[in-house]
Amino acid sequence: MIKSIVGTNDFIEFLRGKSATFLLAVSNTKTADIEGITQAGIPGKIYLTPTLDSEFLTCGEVRSLESIAETPKGVPTPALLTRAAHLLKPFSNIEILNLGLQVAPKVDYFKTHNFSISASGDISSLANIDAMDVFKKGLDFGQNFECKDDYIILAESVPSGTTTAAATALALDYDCKEMFSSSFKDVPNDIRNKTIQSALSSIKESDDIFSRLSKVSDNMLIFTAGFILGLNNQSKVILAGGTQMACALLIVNSILKQMQGHLETSNLALCTTKWVYEDEKSDIEGLLKLNDLKINAYYADFDFKESSNGALKLYDEGEAKEGVGAGASLAYALLNGISKKELTKKIESLLG
Amino acid sequence: MIKSIVGTNDFIEFLRGKSATFLLAVSNTKTADIEGITQAGIPGKIYLTPTLDSEFLTCGEVRSLESIAETPKGVPTPALLTRAAHLLKPFSNIEILNLGLQVAPKVDYFKTHNFSISASGDISSLANIDAMDVFKKGLDFGQNFECKDDYIILAESVPSGTTTAAATALALDYDCKEMFSSSFKDVPNDIRNKTIQSALSSIKESDDIFSRLSKVSDNMLIFTAGFILGLNNQSKVILAGGTQMACALLIVNSILKQMQGHLETSNLALCTTKWVYEDEKSDIEGLLKLNDLKINAYYADFDFKESSNGALKLYDEGEAKEGVGAGASLAYALLNGISKKELTKKIESLLG
């Protein structure tokens, strides 16, 4: 039920029945305000999506808006999938990493880490991130994070994050054009490419890694790269996402190369959805293979074939695809004895 | 599946997937010997109910009597519901607090705390409790209790405990007539009211809180009030019960008021059954709102609609309602991915 993209299945099989801490890294980039660039939320209120995802995942309700985030076509947020997994087989612990939200989630009790990071700018002008500061905060958090469970699932909710990820990997000179996913089935390539081109035009050859990240990246990517290096293979961690998480790994790779450093990666893996894996318009496997680091990568073999719900069926057609750790959460449920049928029913029940 | 009575759902959502220590506070009050005042047990042997509940919850069998406690109408003890939850999703730890049993449960291995407290008297004459002693024992236990799990579920089994709770809250001058629940659907108000009136007639205006408790309360209520103050918000605790637990909170409130003290209550909540919440003859919400302390309170949205068992259906008609932490135990199971259907089946299977 969980299949390998790269590497062997030993790592993920070892996690069968194990307990997990779920970390949700959330941030805003003004890139998401570009009209038509993402369908991860309500037009004009895209910036609220990570806030609402945080509320819905932890407490089962959206509090900073009346109704749960839906895209214009009515593709429900992947937070539904993650929440369903949590209802059927609860994560032992959920914590929120606020990496620059415009609106803080209205949630009590659940630990929320505030890193005093601001929402980043639109990359088509300048993201304007203090990349070294964000990176160091990730590094520090990773070095000091004490996981009380068997492993960490690190998920993200960053609207237009695939666009900033594509710009980031290209700015770091990876040959990865066309390799990045999108929340759209029919990717609005004009807007997207224009944004990325505009972002890349700000890069000078003399810019070092952190200057480049400052201009075209987003907080989640930079923080995650720091977090991975800070953890330094001391805890098992699943990067819960698709091409964005693959980009964070490319940042790690670039930094290590520059520092001529080495990182053990036996405790590091990536897990995404089948929709990302099968997407013909992106190439998660290609992105992982551009990396010098060997990372086990997986996808949850889950789709909505057993559902007759039209909104969910859109996932099978290639809309939304991933987010809020949906792929790793489905894998977590499957690894704990929950069936595809149970997951399908629970997700349907959340749509009401 | 778990709904709020008072407050928000963040506290209970935070406990999703978390581990719990189950403490069962058991005691006898001779009030239960008044004919017809309770249906929590076998007539003439009502005093055995908390003993049998302790045995059945921990070991799955009653040892101090031939068959599991049944009321004349055949309403099975709510210990069945708690045991079913424990079978489907075991509590990490169960301990028994013997707060004055006439017959000690025949149970090995499970930690039983003996506090050298005697069964209390019939409140229609005098309960005759050393209230300060019982309170201090609760306080001390709370101060020193080390919870190895994420939270504590504190449950009770005290036959005729709703009658002593009503008398207690009235004796402390709360305006709560008609707010207390009963194990009966058709409450035997004559007997009950006569008992309460008789109890209250012993109270003099000059009596302080502890004198009043000594006369009309029961050991569980007084101990629990001490326990809550002793814990002092240092561990998360769910008071597993309905109007009796609400009464324990009113005792805490009265003591704090008199001492002009303050108590943080962010880690304190109450959880009961849907039958108590929906009971038209009592008012759990009203009781909680009489309290100056803000306490999150919930009920498990569970009933026997999915069962065809006649004995269990009596719960839906309003018999029994709560006890042995049934509401919080159902919530605990639901919070750990157990479905209503699984619970129903397991409870049915326990009836044989």
Side-chain angles (χ1 to χ4, degrees):
Chain A
M1 295 288 257
I2 295 150
K3 298 194 173 165
S4 292
I5 302 173
V6 175
T8 63
N9 70 352
D10 304 48
F11 180 87
I12 203 82
E13 282 295 338
F14 179 76
L15 298 184
R16 194 174 288 280
K18 298 280 196 296
S19 71
T21 282
F22 190 97
L23 302 180
L24 182 59
V26 279
S27 77
N28 290 120
T29 158
K30 295 270 161 84
T31 315
D33 296 344
I34 298 171
E35 212 185 312
I37 202 163
T38 176
Q39 63 174 343
I42 299 161
K45 292 185 174 172
I46 299 281
Y47 66 95
L48 279 178
T49 297
T51 305
L52 302 175
D53 282 343
S54 302
E55 293 168 350
F56 186 72
L57 171 62
T58 54
C59 293
E61 55 192 40
V62 296
R63 291 169 176 179
S64 296
L65 195 79
E66 302 74 39
S67 70
I68 185 160
E70 288 194 11
T71 66
K73 275 190 191 164
V75 187
T77 168
L80 281 168
L81 284 61
T82 307
R83 174 78 183 168
H86 180 51
L87 291 177
L88 291 167
K89 171 64 194 180
F91 304 113
S92 304
N93 183 35
I94 300 178
E95 301 182 15
I96 297 168
L97 315 187
N98 183 339
L99 305 177
L101 286 183
Q102 290 176 247
V103 180
K106 294 178 181 61
V107 166
D108 281 333
Y109 294 100
F110 293 87
K111 199 169 195 173
T112 299
H113 302 269
N114 287 302
F115 294 96
S116 306
I117 298 173
S118 306
S120 60
D122 175 355
I123 59 167
S124 66
S125 42
L126 268 184
N128 213 8
I129 300 168
D130 186 343
M132 187 54 89
D133 178 65
V134 174
F135 175 78
K136 278 188 177 160
K137 282 170 176 167
L139 193 75
D140 184 62
F141 186 69
Q143 280 170 341
N144 294 295
F145 189 76
E146 284 181 30
C147 184
K148 287 175 188 156
D149 293 298
D150 297 313
Y151 66 110
I152 299 162
I153 295 175
L154 176 65
E156 58 70 39
S157 175
V158 184
S160 85
T162 54
T163 301
T164 45
T168 300
L170 289 166
L172 296 180
D173 292 329
Y174 289 100
D175 186 13
C176 59
K177 224 178 153 239
E178 314 289 314
M179 280 188 180
F180 278 85
S181 181
S182 155
S183 60
F184 287 99
K185 175 191 171 194
D186 298 311
V187 188
N189 269 321
D190 278 2
I191 307 169
R192 189 179 165 90
N193 285 338
K194 218 174 113 188
T195 303
I196 293 170
Q197 282 316 313
S198 179
L200 294 176
S201 70
S202 71
I203 305 285
K204 295 175 203 148
E205 268 217 31
S206 60
D207 283 343
D208 67 6
I209 295 174
F210 286 95
S211 302
R212 289 166 193 240
L213 296 175
S214 298
K215 289 176 175 176
V216 309
S217 194
D218 68 52
N219 296 326
M220 187 283 289
L221 294 170
I222 303 167
F223 184 94
T224 297
F227 179 70
I228 292 166
L229 284 161
L231 271 184
N232 193 23
N233 210 40
Q234 296 305 298
S235 294
K236 287 191 169 53
V237 60
I238 289 184
L239 302 178
T243 53
Q244 290 166 259
M245 287 301 179
C247 174
L249 287 167
L250 288 174
I251 299 176
V252 171
N253 189 51
S254 293
I255 292 171
L256 284 171
K257 269 176 136 168
Q258 196 190 48
M259 295 166 52
Q260 299 188 295
H262 173 73
L263 179 72
E264 273 295 320
T265 56
S266 57
N267 285 331
L268 181 58
L270 178 149
C271 188
T272 187
T273 62
K274 189 178 180 180
W275 303 297
V276 166
Y277 176 68
E278 293 188 344
D279 182 25
E280 291 178 3
K281 286 164 183 146
S282 65
D283 185 2
I284 179 77
E285 190 177 342
L287 281 174
L288 290 162
K289 288 183 173 169
L290 286 177
N291 207 312
D292 301 291
L293 297 168
K294 296 269 166 275
I295 312 286
N296 286 301
Y298 309 96
Y299 69 92
D301 188 11
F302 177 92
D303 54 38
F304 285 114
K305 287 215 175 68
E306 289 182 19
S307 177
S308 54
N309 184 296
L312 296 178
K313 284 287 190 194
L314 292 172
Y315 273 81
D316 287 356
E317 292 171 16
E319 308 284 359
K321 297 187 192 75
E322 170 65 287
V324 198
S329 301
L330 293 167
Y332 170 76
L334 295 169
L335 285 173
N336 282 285
I338 307 298
S339 69
K340 187 177 170 185
K341 191 174 175 182
E342 286 171 289
L343 279 164
T344 304
K345 277 195 172 177
K346 187 60 83 180
I347 296 164
E348 285 173 342
S349 78
L350 291 176
L351 277 175
Chain B
M1 296 286 257
I2 294 150
K3 299 196 171 163
S4 292
I5 301 173
V6 175
T8 63
N9 71 351
D10 301 51
F11 179 88
I12 203 85
E13 281 294 340
F14 179 77
L15 298 184
R16 193 176 288 281
K18 297 281 196 295
S19 70
T21 284
F22 190 98
L23 302 180
L24 181 60
V26 280
S27 77
N28 290 120
T29 157
K30 295 271 162 82
T31 315
D33 297 343
I34 298 171
E35 210 184 314
I37 202 163
T38 177
Q39 63 174 344
I42 300 161
K45 290 182 174 175
I46 298 281
Y47 65 94
L48 278 178
T49 297
T51 306
L52 303 175
D53 282 342
S54 303
E55 293 168 351
F56 186 72
L57 170 62
T58 53
C59 296
E61 55 190 41
V62 295
R63 292 169 175 178
S64 298
L65 195 77
E66 303 74 40
S67 70
I68 185 161
E70 287 192 14
T71 66
K73 272 190 192 164
V75 187
T77 168
L80 280 169
L81 284 59
T82 306
R83 173 78 184 168
H86 180 50
L87 291 176
L88 291 167
K89 172 66 194 178
F91 304 113
S92 304
N93 181 35
I94 300 178
E95 301 183 15
I96 297 167
L97 316 186
N98 183 339
L99 305 177
L101 286 183
Q102 291 176 247
V103 179
K106 295 178 180 61
V107 167
D108 280 335
Y109 296 99
F110 292 87
K111 199 169 194 174
T112 298
H113 302 268
N114 287 301
F115 294 96
S116 306
I117 298 172
S118 306
S120 60
D122 175 354
I123 59 167
S124 67
S125 41
L126 268 184
N128 213 8
I129 300 167
D130 185 343
M132 187 54 88
D133 177 65
V134 174
F135 175 78
K136 280 187 175 160
K137 284 171 174 165
L139 193 75
D140 184 63
F141 186 69
Q143 281 170 341
N144 294 294
F145 189 75
E146 284 179 32
C147 184
K148 287 175 187 157
D149 293 297
D150 296 312
Y151 66 109
I152 300 162
I153 295 174
L154 176 65
E156 59 70 37
S157 174
V158 184
S160 86
T162 54
T163 300
T164 45
T168 299
L170 289 165
L172 296 179
D173 292 327
Y174 290 100
D175 187 13
C176 59
K177 226 181 153 236
E178 315 289 314
M179 281 188 179
F180 279 85
S181 181
S182 154
S183 60
F184 287 99
K185 175 190 172 195
D186 298 309
V187 188
N189 269 320
D190 279 3
I191 307 168
R192 188 177 165 92
N193 285 339
K194 218 174 113 186
T195 303
I196 293 170
Q197 281 316 315
S198 179
L200 294 175
S201 70
S202 71
I203 305 284
K204 293 174 206 150
E205 268 216 33
S206 59
D207 284 342
D208 67 6
I209 294 172
F210 286 95
S211 303
R212 288 166 194 238
L213 296 174
S214 298
K215 289 175 176 176
V216 308
S217 194
D218 69 52
N219 296 327
M220 187 283 290
L221 293 169
I222 303 167
F223 183 93
T224 297
F227 179 70
I228 292 166
L229 284 161
L231 271 184
N232 194 24
N233 210 41
Q234 296 304 299
S235 295
K236 287 192 167 54
V237 59
I238 289 185
L239 302 178
T243 52
Q244 289 166 260
M245 288 301 180
C247 174
L249 287 167
L250 288 173
I251 298 175
V252 171
N253 188 51
S254 293
I255 292 170
L256 284 170
K257 268 177 136 168
Q258 196 193 47
M259 293 166 53
Q260 298 187 296
H262 173 74
L263 180 72
E264 274 296 321
T265 55
S266 58
N267 285 331
L268 181 58
L270 179 148
C271 188
T272 187
T273 62
K274 188 179 182 180
W275 304 296
V276 166
Y277 176 69
E278 292 189 344
D279 182 26
E280 289 178 4
K281 287 165 182 144
S282 65
D283 185 2
I284 180 76
E285 190 178 343
L287 280 174
L288 290 162
K289 288 183 172 169
L290 285 178
N291 207 313
D292 301 288
L293 297 168
K294 296 268 166 274
I295 313 285
N296 285 302
Y298 308 96
Y299 68 93
D301 190 10
F302 177 93
D303 54 37
F304 285 114
K305 286 213 176 67
E306 289 181 20
S307 175
S308 55
N309 184 297
L312 296 178
K313 284 287 191 194
L314 292 172
Y315 274 82
D316 288 355
E317 291 171 17
E319 307 286 358
K321 296 186 193 74
E322 171 65 288
V324 199
S329 301
L330 293 168
Y332 169 76
L334 295 170
L335 284 174
N336 282 285
I338 308 298
S339 69
K340 187 177 170 185
K341 193 173 174 183
E342 287 171 289
L343 280 165
T344 304
K345 278 194 173 176
K346 185 60 80 181
I347 297 164
E348 285 173 344
S349 77
L350 291 176
L351 277 175

